[in-house]
Amino acid sequence: MKRTTIQVSNQGATLDTGRRNFLKLSGVGLAIAGLTLIGCDDNDDFNFMDNDVFDLGSGDVGILNYAYALEQLEADFYTKVVNNFYSGISSIEKELFTDLYHHEVIHRDFFKAAISGATSNVLPKLEFQYPNVNFNDKNSVLATAKALEDTGVAAYNGAGKYITNPTYLVIAGKIVSVEARHASAIRNLINPGTAAFSGDDVVDANGLDLAKEPKDIVAAAGGFFKTPFTWKEQGIG
């Protein structure tokens, strides 16, 4: 198979589309096409409030923009990690963070393309801040990655019940399964060879991952978001 390189929007990193990523990228392309054809019934007008703060919208559009906001955050975080690896990083850690970076950039760009094909009410590019994160310290980076991945899984699980379009629900289910793999990998780096990868703090007594409401997720991750947004339908903002 001929190898090509797609430039992604984060400076200092490229996405290899050789054999390793071909099927993954092909699947994303097909999913985008499907979402574009389906479209949304929600109001297509831009949802800016009077003070120019973007509102995520209602119905499935709101859920998609919510997921897009979280994927923007994760992609931005891992971009910073891979563009300046912390001191003393091992080759295994470097490979893992590079893979996580690739996945999150794909997820972010997937949502942007999918939402753009279905509605004009697309969340703009957000800015983020990391006031308590030391990107040159392994423990700080791992702790932040763990928090982001655990929060992402709980966010998808909690938002699923609000999705009405079955195609969107299938896509969300596929993405959350990848996010759960990320969470397990990070937890194993922190506590290798233990049961922490599926700890009792994230898996309940019924063997199910935790699910959290959008309001709780935004409250937990809100400190990272420098660009404000609201989600009136969910009582946020």
Side-chain angles (χ1 to χ4, degrees):
M1 177 182 298
K2 182 179 179 181
R3 297 176 68 87
T4 59
T5 298
I6 294 176
Q7 297 293 329
V8 296
S9 59
N10 300 98
Q11 184 178 4
T14 59
L15 180 59
D16 177 18
T17 58
R19 183 177 301 276
R20 181 180 183 187
N21 289 312
F22 176 75
L23 293 178
K24 176 168 58 181
L25 289 172
S26 297
V28 168
L30 291 173
I32 290 173
L35 290 176
T36 301
L37 290 174
I38 291 171
C40 292
D41 295 329
D42 300 83
N43 190 333
D44 283 347
D45 293 335
F46 282 102
N47 256 348
F48 283 97
M49 307 304 291
D50 291 339
N51 58 355
D52 291 332
V53 174
F54 185 88
D55 187 79
L56 299 185
S58 60
D60 287 343
V61 167
I63 298 295
L64 293 176
N65 275 320
Y66 169 58
Y68 181 33
L70 295 175
E71 296 296 351
Q72 282 194 52
L73 169 58
E74 290 188 314
D76 185 79
F77 172 74
Y78 287 118
T79 296
K80 287 178 169 55
V81 172
V82 301
N83 282 341
N84 186 25
F85 285 119
Y86 53 77
S87 118
I89 189 170
S90 69
S91 59
I92 291 176
E93 292 164 357
K94 187 177 293 187
E95 182 178 6
L96 174 61
F97 279 117
T98 301
D99 281 346
L100 266 55
Y101 157 76
H102 284 167
H103 294 171
E104 300 301 358
V105 167
I106 290 172
H107 292 171
R108 180 202 64 195
D109 291 352
F110 159 74
F111 274 109
K112 180 179 180 180
I115 301 169
S116 298
T119 177
S120 59
N121 189 54
V122 185
L123 182 72
K125 181 180 178 181
L126 303 176
E127 293 185 6
F128 303 96
Q129 57 193 5
Y130 305 91
N132 299 315
V133 181
N134 180 357
F135 283 93
N136 195 45
D137 179 75
K138 174 180 178 178
N139 292 332
S140 182
V141 170
L142 287 178
T144 306
K146 175 178 175 288
L148 289 177
E149 296 296 353
D150 287 348
T151 299
V153 174
Y156 276 100
N157 288 341
K161 64 184 178 183
Y162 297 112
I163 300 175
T164 60
N165 188 308
T167 300
Y168 298 157
L169 187 59
V170 169
I171 295 298
K174 291 181 177 181
I175 291 177
V176 72
S177 68
V178 176
E179 298 293 349
R181 291 172 188 265
H182 293 176
S184 293
I186 291 295
R187 283 167 163 264
N188 188 64
L189 275 184
I190 297 172
N191 294 294
T194 71
F197 73 94
S198 58
D200 293 339
D201 57 326
V202 287
V203 179
D204 66 21
N206 296 314
L208 300 176
D209 248 321
L210 297 182
K212 295 185 179 180
E213 290 294 312
K215 181 181 288 188
D216 296 326
I217 294 295
V218 172
F224 294 114
F225 289 92
K226 189 173 182 180
T227 305
F229 60 84
T230 63
W231 194 3
K232 297 300 185 183
E233 185 179 65
Q234 290 289 335
I236 297 171

